[in-house]
Amino acid sequence: MSAELLDWTDVLPLNDLEEGVITPVTIGEKALVLYRSGDEVRAFDGKCPHKGAPMEQGVACKSRHGDVQLVCPWHKASFSAESGRLIEPPALDLLARYPVEVHDGRILVGKVAMRRDAPAPMREHEVVAIIGAGAAAIAAAVTLRDEGYAGRILLIGPEEDLPYDRTALSKMTLANPDPEASPPPLRPESWYIEQRIERVMDRVVKLDTETRKITLEEGVSLTPDHVLLASGSRAKELEIPGSALAGVHTLRSAHDVREIASKVGENTTVVVIGSGFIGMEAAAALRKRGAGVTVLSNSALPFQKQLGREIATEMRNLHESKGVAFISSCSVKAINGETQVESVTLEDDSQITADLVIIGVGAVPALDYLPSHALSENGGIEVDQAMRVAPHIYAAGDIASVTHEGRQYRIEHWRTAQSQARIAARTMLGLPGGALTTPWFWTQQYDRKIEYLGWPRGFERVEIDGDVDRFDFTARYIDEEGKIVGLATAGRPKEMGEAAVTFDDA
């Protein structure tokens, strides 16, 4: 593009732009970032397209393949430092690139984002059916269209809500005092129309993996060219007396949150059964709304298995400082009440008063539509490196059982689900699927955030650099052979951003 065709802004001297780092600039009120490599300068949108994180607080680092990636500071989406192309989710869109020219040692940036050339349409006469409507499903649909797939896409799921950010349920939506609050949609309704995504609001009751025949609850059947299983998981239930009483809830859907939120006030007494990430995030959200919260747990400390004793202790201290009561190393015997929950009985026959009970004891893969298919030991469905279950059938997300270094894993993390779905979508189209990166997730409780990178495996010891009590630390999880198998950080987004790209190189 020439200067005659665009409105350009002089932003700074080339000599003032440091190489290899993300540098912020502004054009009017528009925030942009620059990245310099030698005499080449690239300009990109200053906000991550996922949640608007300031990219200037992110990090630029080189991958094992030699390319440089720009990593979002909040949720570790990564983009090509050359083109802005999306490399890793949870973003669904590229990082918009702006034209740059250098004249007389000055950097000039165009005010209009560069257009991406659309790929040639392909597979116009094919049908892709996606079972599920969550993170993996939407990531697959976006990838298919971005790569030029022009056939039909069916998105099959029972929920009437537009597909939404499920991670927001326990972190943010539950803390909202508006009882009608909903988690943010992954895409606006107009997108489904523009991209010709057909939403089928029904439940799959059977899939024949030999023929690809899908049978829906309403009796309709279809046989698409490709199938992606992205049905996610459902909350585990407690098989104890009283678990069906009014006021007893799991926390898995927007409907669950609305049901809970409508009953919560400052005088509400809530018992949370389970001290995993969902349970503890729910406890934090409910305390923000003024409810009294007691957490019942089989373990002595929340997250000790995942994060180690020192960090787990500080997490419990954080909750107790906010008024959450803990009863640890216990199990629940019964939930009591006539029609509405009134109390909870523990194994020692002691009772705790409760207006509401939230059960957060884990999840199980939603694979009821595959009654005759053999599942792996972890309850998932085995896939190969291309996320393939059988010819033209793929799986992604909570239900997918992947192999890493000879072990089977089923990862229940948002970013991994999207990465798997992108691999499956590209493979459907005959394109290189790419490799699955190390799982990353984060938890937000009150004003504290912890990020974790690694496969869920045991560790021998934890080495911590920084102050755990101030939530400014890096923890390295080391196995019996001395290898770092996991990394947790708080208050260090750039360090985790670089690790998200380079951890697999170690």
Side-chain angles (χ1 to χ4, degrees), residues 233-239 249-252 273 359-365 410 412:
S233 56
R234 63 177 184 274
K236 284 183 181 178
E237 298 179 358
L238 285 179
E239 296 182 359
H249 301 275
T250 55
L251 182 51
R252 193 69 191 172
I273 302 175
I359 298 173
V361 292
V364 293
R410 190 174 60 79
E412 297 180 354

Side-chain angles (χ1 to χ4, degrees), residues 32 50 53 108 119 153 157 171 200 261 280 337 373 416 428 436 452:
L32 300 178
H50 176 225
L108 307 181
I153 299 177
K171 291 181 175 71
V200 180
M280 299 308 296
H373 192 91
T416 297
M428 288 180 195
L436 188 63
Y452 182 87

Side-chain angles (χ1 to χ4, degrees), residues 167 170-172 175 274-288 295 301-303 306-307 311-322 324 326 441-451 471 490:
T167 66
S170 56
K171 291 181 175 71
M172 291 167 283
S275 60
F277 289 100
I278 294 296
M280 299 308 296
E281 287 174 358
L286 292 168
R287 280 301 297 144
K288 286 182 179 179
V295 174
L301 294 169
F303 322 124
Q306 297 91 347
L307 301 177
I311 297 172
T313 299
E314 197 56 44
M315 290 298 289
R316 174 166 171 164
N317 291 342
L318 171 65
H319 278 270
E320 289 179 330
S321 73
K322 301 294 185 179
V324 174
F326 277 87
F441 75 92
W442 64 284
T443 183
Q444 180 85 36
Q445 296 171 38
Y446 308 104
D447 59 346
R448 302 300 191 181
K449 178 180 179 179
I450 292 180
E451 304 179 61
F471 283 84

Side-chain angles (χ1 to χ4, degrees), residues 12 16-18 21-25 32-36 56:
L12 77 165
D16 288 354
L17 183 61
E18 185 178 354
V21 298
I22 300 175
T23 302
V25 296
L32 300 178
V33 292
L34 303 181
Y35 180 79
R36 177 183 177 183
E56 66 185 84

Side-chain angles (χ1 to χ4, degrees), residues 4-27:
E4 290 78 20
L5 298 178
L6 280 176
D7 189 6
W8 297 85
T9 297
D10 185 331
V11 291
L12 77 165
L14 177 63
N15 289 339
D16 288 354
L17 183 61
E18 185 178 354
E19 288 197 51
V21 298
I22 300 175
T23 302
V25 296
T26 57
I27 297 180

Side-chain angles (χ1 to χ4, degrees), residues 6-186:
L6 280 176
D7 189 6
W8 297 85
T9 297
D10 185 331
V11 291
L12 77 165
L14 177 63
N15 289 339
D16 288 354
L17 183 61
E18 185 178 354
E19 288 197 51
V21 298
I22 300 175
T23 302
V25 296
T26 57
I27 297 180
E29 296 183 355
K30 179 68 176 176
L32 300 178
V33 292
L34 303 181
Y35 180 79
R36 177 183 177 183
S37 176
D39 290 333
E40 289 290 326
V41 179
R42 299 284 189 270
F44 301 97
D45 196 322
K47 295 185 181 297
C48 176
H50 176 225
K51 294 289 186 179
M55 290 300 297
E56 66 185 84
Q57 296 177 16
V59 65
C61 56
K62 185 177 291 187
S63 78
R64 69 171 76 176
H65 307 294
D67 65 313
V68 176
Q69 299 180 23
L70 308 180
V71 186
C72 165
W74 290 357
H75 304 108
K76 306 305 172 279
S78 65
F79 309 89
S80 166
E82 181 177 352
S83 65
R85 171 180 61 88
L86 175 65
I87 297 175
E88 283 295 326
L92 295 170
D93 303 296
L94 53 72
L95 189 64
R97 181 183 164 198
Y98 288 74
V100 174
E101 290 189 3
V102 179
H103 290 287
D104 299 325
R106 305 287 304 185
I107 299 172
L108 307 181
V109 179
K111 292 183 179 180
V112 179
M114 300 170 66
R115 290 183 177 272
R116 172 180 178 263
D117 293 332
M122 67 169 91
R123 313 283 183 104
E124 293 93 337
H125 304 295
E126 293 187 0
V127 178
V128 173
I130 302 174
I131 300 176
I138 300 304
V142 169
T143 303
L144 288 168
R145 289 295 187 232
D146 283 351
E147 297 290 358
Y149 174 70
R152 294 177 67 193
I153 299 177
L154 309 179
L155 201 66
I156 307 172
E159 290 189 74
E160 294 185 3
D161 294 88
L162 284 174
Y164 52 83
D165 183 346
R166 198 175 299 273
T167 66
L169 292 176
S170 56
K171 291 181 175 71
M172 291 167 283
T173 312
L174 190 59
N176 193 324
D178 181 359
E180 297 300 318
S182 296
L186 295 172

